[in-house]
Each structure stands twice: as C-alpha cells, then as structure tokens.
Amino acid sequence: FFKVGRNLATTKGKVVFQNELIQLIQYAPLTPNARRVPLLIMPPWINKYYILDLGEKKSFIRYLVEQGFTVFCISWVNPDARHADMNFEDYMELGALAAMREVKRATGEDQINVLGYCIGGTLLATALAYLKAAPRADLPAVTSATFLVTLTDFSDPGDLGVFMDEAQIVAIEERMKKQGYLEAEAMATTFNMLRANELIWSFVINNYMLGKEPFPFDILYWNADSTNLAAAMESFYLRKMYLQNKLVQPGGVSMKGVPIDLRVIDTPAFLLSTREDHIAPWRATYAATQLYKGPVTFVLSGSGHIAGVVNPPAAKKYSYFTKDGTCPPQPDDWLKNAVAHDGSWWPEWTVWLASFSGDQIPARDVKDGIEDAPGSYVKVRAV
C-alpha cells in the first residue's frame, strides 16, 4: 500500500549533494517568495528521514516549504559492512558539516538555521560545540538551532536505559564485529518491546487471533522500514553517551581530536519535548535549558516521541505548553507556570524560526541535481 516516493516522501525537490554517508535534498519552493536564510534538517539515522515527510497532509517538510522557508534535509545512508568504521565524528564531518557547507554553496548564504531531531539533535549540539572550539571558514554561521526531543544529558535515558549496561553493550559490540553493523531488526525489536502492547500484542490479537486485516498506517510502515547502525558509531554512542554520560561533561568527548564543551553553545535555541516520550523523557531533555549559554525557548508538546512531533495543525490534536521568560532549573517549576495551547506546536515554532530567517526574497528554484527527491539512499531497505 505504501511506497516511498509515491505516497510517502513526496515533497518535490532534488538531491543536490551526496557522499558515502548522506544525500542532501533541497526542496522546490511552493511560494513565490521565501525567507533568505535556509533551514537544514538533520533527522535521526536510527530510522529514515521521511517521518518528517509522510503523506501530503502530515508532512512537516511540506508545511515548512508552504510557509515560505528554503528547506534542505539530510537523507542518511542505510549502513552495511562498508561503513563499519564510520564513527560519530564521521557522522559530524561527512554528515552535519558537509551538509552545512553544501547549503552555503547552493544558496550563497553565510547564515543557516539548523534543526536536529532525536540523535540528529545530539549530533547538532556536538557539532555546534566543536565549531566553537575549532571554527571553520568554509561553513555558514548557525543563526538558530532547533532540538526536537533531543537528549544531551543521558542521566535519565528513559525506557532504553533498561538495555544500557556494560554486559549488554559488550554483547552488542560482539554482535557487530561479525558484520560491521547492528542490523536493523535488533534495534526495531528493542523499540517495539518498549511499547509491546501497541506494537506487538495488538497485532497478535487482531491479526493472528481474530483474523483481521491490518489497517494501513503510514507511521507503522515507517517504523518497520528500519536502518542498520554502523558499528563504530553505535559503540561510541552507547558507551560515551548512554553508559558514561560523557557528552554533558566539559571535555568528556572529543571530536577530531578537539575536546568539546556544550556549555559554550551560544546559538539561540528552541527545544521541543513531548510529554509522553519514553525514548527521550521530557524532564531529561529539559536539562539542556540549563546547559546552553545562549537564549533558550522551551516548548512541551502533548503525546510522544513521534506523534507529538509529527502533529500537523489541520489535525487539531493534542496541545502544547509555553512559558515566557527564562527557564527555571527544575522542569516541574517550568510546567507549573506554563500556559497550555490547543493543537500543534508547528505554528508557534515557525514564528520563532522566521525571526532568524531574514527578509523575503524570490524563492530559489531547484533546477540541477543528482536525482529527484526522495533520492536513492532512503529506498535502500535493510536486509
């Protein structure tokens, strides 16, 4: 029923750059004028980017293009044995930084807004801290940073913490040695186990026991379209972040030989968390409000890690909370004084983003590219 490029990931655009780790998609404008400063989206590589570009009515990316933003998005490779030695710093250099450089080349702009989702946000924070320590003249200045359901302090890793001890990580590393990656099935099974009633037993009861035909559901299709994880990257991520919580410690992590400190990040930041998130608990993600040096806006959405993010305004679902002024140290104090709003957080964020996006200019057409969006990387399914 579902097919990427037919009824999923259908927003028009072109792949304008690729290397061994990413394809970079530039989306075609849907308005005559657009904001001058482009937006780069860094989705998680644990699952595919098109969670942000589902069908036309649910597409976060299409919504942004319709609002007059110039949008780029990374589509990560689905790793195999060739990517075994790709480390987290490779994901930064060949992923985040390479994409930023190419957005500058494609638009001619010296400024950029960047959004990171989940581990994409963890990568964004890492890259910003690295660039403060080792500035790069070939890259645009990051005008604003948006973090969606992003952990930087892993002291409370949510339900995934059940799987994060030395013995289990050693077992994962031994498993990865055989093929150079953690196979998609292993991670998908872990996530499904965290919500067994919804993602396992409901299907056993309805489909196997009651003989009902499964109802086609785009998010479940995406959830099953999993990705492998490169061995070196996954080992670093599990050990340095989940097990040792080194990222939040000044100098606890080095990128390309440079110790980094998240406390020096002074880029204006927008942090979105979701109230029922079991992967990145909102109180844990809130900790970053006390970490970054620059101005921070925190918003709390209803629902969970996916539905709370992918919540188009037309659906009129859930709600979100905002609070004026600075963020207090404790998350519950923030919530106590927050104001509830009906519906989606998307319009709230786009107003914030527009303030960092410059003036209106004639929209940039996308004429040349390697191939049409959604590109070929996203179509590679894990074996």
Side-chain angles (χ1 to χ4, degrees), residues 17 63 76 83 96 134 165 261 324 328 363:
F17 170 78
Y63 174 83
W76 299 96
H83 305 92
D165 60 29
D261 183 354
D324 292 335

Side-chain angles (χ1 to χ4, degrees), residues 50-285:
Y50 67 84
I51 189 61
L52 298 175
D53 189 22
L54 294 173
E56 190 172 302
K57 293 181 180 180
K58 288 185 180 179
S59 173
F60 179 68
I61 288 172
R62 182 180 178 87
Y63 174 83
L64 294 175
V65 178
E66 288 174 339
Q67 304 309 304
F69 293 98
T70 301
V71 181
F72 293 77
C73 184
I74 291 173
S75 174
W76 299 96
V77 76
N78 200 341
D80 55 33
R82 295 171 296 177
H83 305 92
D85 295 328
M86 287 282 182
N87 209 325
F88 202 87
E89 64 183 24
D90 294 312
Y91 274 74
M92 182 187 74
E93 182 64 46
L94 298 174
L97 303 187
M100 290 167 60
R101 183 186 65 244
E102 292 303 317
V103 171
K104 178 179 179 178
R105 181 195 59 78
T107 63
E109 298 295 333
D110 290 324
Q111 294 182 321
I112 187 174
N113 296 303
V114 187
L115 177 152
Y117 186 0
C118 189
I119 193 175
T122 308
L123 177 67
L124 172 57
T126 303
L128 290 175
Y130 169 78
L131 291 174
K132 290 293 290 186
R136 294 266 292 268
D138 61 325
L139 301 180
V142 179
T143 302
S144 77
T146 297
F147 300 92
L148 305 184
V149 292
T150 294
L151 282 171
T152 49
D153 184 337
F154 288 76
S155 56
D156 177 13
D159 292 353
L160 281 174
V162 174
F163 303 95
M164 301 301 169
D165 60 29
E166 177 67 23
Q168 293 188 79
I169 291 176
V170 167
I172 290 171
E173 290 171 335
E174 288 298 318
R175 184 172 184 168
M176 292 190 296
K177 281 181 183 177
K178 299 176 182 178
Q179 52 203 10
Y181 58 90
L182 181 63
E183 65 274 20
E185 181 183 1
M187 185 58 70
T189 300
T190 298
F191 283 121
N192 288 346
M193 286 172 64
L194 296 178
R195 284 294 180 267
N197 284 344
E198 296 94 332
L199 297 174
I200 298 176
W201 293 114
S202 64
F203 296 97
V204 171
I205 293 169
N206 286 309
N207 303 341
Y208 178 70
M209 297 179 69
L210 300 180
K212 294 180 179 179
E213 286 291 324
F215 183 76
F217 186 26
D218 48 11
I219 291 179
L220 285 178
Y221 178 90
W222 166 85
N223 187 62
D225 189 10
S226 303
T227 55
N228 300 323
L229 298 172
M233 180 284 302
E234 180 68 355
S235 180
F236 179 92
Y237 181 54
L238 294 180
R239 287 194 169 277
K240 293 291 187 180
M241 298 183 190
Y242 273 98
L243 189 61
Q244 301 169 2
N245 197 22
K246 289 289 188 181
L247 181 61
V248 77
Q249 301 173 23
V253 166
S254 293
M255 290 285 115
K256 300 174 69 67
V258 178
I260 64 169
D261 183 354
L262 301 188
R263 298 175 305 171
V264 304
I265 296 173
D266 56 4
T267 307
F270 184 104
L271 278 60
L272 178 88
S273 300
T274 56
R275 202 167 183 181
E276 299 167 24
D277 198 328
H278 62 289
I279 294 172
W282 83 267
R283 289 175 178 84
T285 59

